[in-house]
Amino acid sequence: MIISTQLSQLDEIIAIENISFEKPWTRSQIKDDIQANINSENWVFIEDEKVVGYIFGWIIQNEFHLYNIAVHPNHQRKKIARKLIQHIILRVAIQKVNVILLEVSVNNISARKCYQSLGFIQTGIRKDYYSKGDDAILYNLEIN
Ligand SMILES: CC(C)(COP(=O)(O)OP(=O)(O)OC[C@H]1O[C@@H](n2cnc3c(N)ncnc32)[C@H](O)[C@@H]1OP(=O)(O)O)[C@@H](O)C(=O)NCCC(=O)NCCS
């Protein structure tokens, strides 16, 4: 089940964030994002009453910027990320968004395969973008 993110889910989200990323968002970054931005689209995937994945992003004019997506390692490869992204596509398409943008490390094969399987197209590369010196790959998905 996909529901809108609640502040009460912060601890569960942070736990997944911390095991998913080498440089996780901080508690205050995630909290501010849940609370503040009126153009944000923040959704969680619930299974057995627990948060097992989430997707965060912002609508900026006709673009949706997908900033964060993660699924708990015990729940991966069950199409949860796919369902979260498909949910976002439906949500933003009715808000005059016509493109979803994201960037991902060149070495994040699982995420890249996930985006490609949904039709995202590689549009560019940012050299040495991440702290370890990894390049970022830019992806677009045109909708509407
Ligand atoms: C990337 C991530 C969100 C995918 O979540 P998921 O729920 O396991 O993905 P899905 O089950 O929806 O997979 C959809 C498709 O993505 C691809 N995919 C996902 N994980 C993969 C893996 N480990 N290896 C190869 N392909 C993979 C497959 O094509 C898959 O379809 P299939 O299962 O029919 O083959 C998850 O691996 C994750 O949380 N990673 C850590 C955080 C992260 O890197 N986030 C992205 C930052 S940009």
Side-chain angles (χ1 to χ4, degrees):
M1 176 175 61
I2 297 174
I3 60 170
S4 183
T5 307
Q6 311 295 316
L7 210 48
S8 59
Q9 294 156 340
L10 191 55
D11 287 342
E12 290 175 284
I13 292 167
I14 287 167
I16 297 173
E17 179 76 12
N18 286 342
I19 46 173
S20 299
F21 297 103
E22 280 178 18
K23 282 203 147 190
W25 282 18
T26 63
R27 169 175 282 267
S28 61
Q29 282 172 319
I30 294 176
K31 188 175 176 194
D32 288 351
D33 200 49
I34 294 171
Q35 283 182 314
N37 196 309
I38 55 164
N39 293 320
S40 63
E41 287 284 336
N42 297 331
W43 297 87
V44 290
F45 197 101
I46 304 284
E47 212 170 83
D48 296 333
E49 297 178 18
K50 291 194 183 113
V51 175
V52 297
Y54 53 86
I55 188 165
F56 292 165
W58 294 328
I59 295 174
I60 303 174
Q61 298 180 350
N62 65 332
E63 299 174 348
F64 179 75
H65 293 248
L66 199 172
Y67 284 126
N68 201 351
I69 180 168
V71 173
H72 190 287
N74 295 346
H75 296 267
Q76 289 178 2
R77 292 313 287 268
K78 296 196 303 181
K79 316 252 185 253
I80 292 175
R82 171 180 284 272
K83 285 178 192 156
L84 285 165
I85 294 171
Q86 286 169 335
H87 179 74
I88 283 289
I89 293 170
L90 293 176
R91 285 275 313 169
V92 300
I94 54 171
Q95 298 179 71
K96 300 203 168 90
V97 167
N98 54 31
V99 64
I100 298 179
L101 310 169
L102 62 85
E103 66 212 10
V104 56
S105 165
V106 69
N107 295 320
N108 193 342
I109 303 301
S110 47
R112 292 182 62 190
K113 288 206 162 151
C114 180
Y115 302 137
Q116 285 162 5
S117 77
L118 281 156
F120 281 81
I121 305 290
Q122 185 175 328
T123 56
I125 186 162
R126 287 199 182 116
K127 287 284 183 194
D128 299 331
Y129 185 73
Y130 296 103
S131 53
K132 280 194 305 183
D134 295 347
D135 298 340
I137 306 292
L138 311 183
Y139 281 100
N140 271 14
L141 178 70
E142 300 211 1
I143 55 177
N144 287 325

